[in-house]
Amino acid sequence: MTRPLQAHLTFSAITSGLMSFIVTCVATWKALGFGAGFLGDWLAAWALAWPIAFAVIATVGPIVRKRVNARFGV
């Protein structure tokens, strides 16, 4: 595996993990409120969301990056 690919996959894993962690917390809180089962429900939602978020960022990320870079002349 090349270093650029390793860097991209590491970035994708960290970004998708953090974003899905925060978003599923807010969505779970909004939908169910803070109750006895909140933590379990939140972590179940996060376990489902993280692989999806990772796949999206890992596959679509390079396309978005190229378009943004082209737009701003980077």
Side-chain angles (χ1 to χ4, degrees):
M1 188 178 309
T2 65
R3 285 226 188 263
L5 179 58
Q6 286 175 321
H8 173 65
L9 293 177
T10 302
F11 172 83
S12 298
I14 293 169
T15 302
S16 64
L18 288 172
M19 288 302 298
S20 61
F21 190 76
I22 294 165
V23 171
T24 56
C25 177
V26 172
T28 303
W29 166 66
K30 178 73 173 145
L32 305 177
F34 286 117
F38 174 79
L39 185 61
D41 292 334
W42 171 26
L43 294 178
W46 183 48
L48 175 66
W50 190 359
I52 295 167
F54 175 78
V56 170
I57 292 173
T59 57
V60 179
I63 297 165
V64 172
R65 186 182 318 239
K66 284 180 187 176
R67 289 187 179 188
V68 169
N69 286 346
R71 169 66 178 93
F72 290 98
V74 177

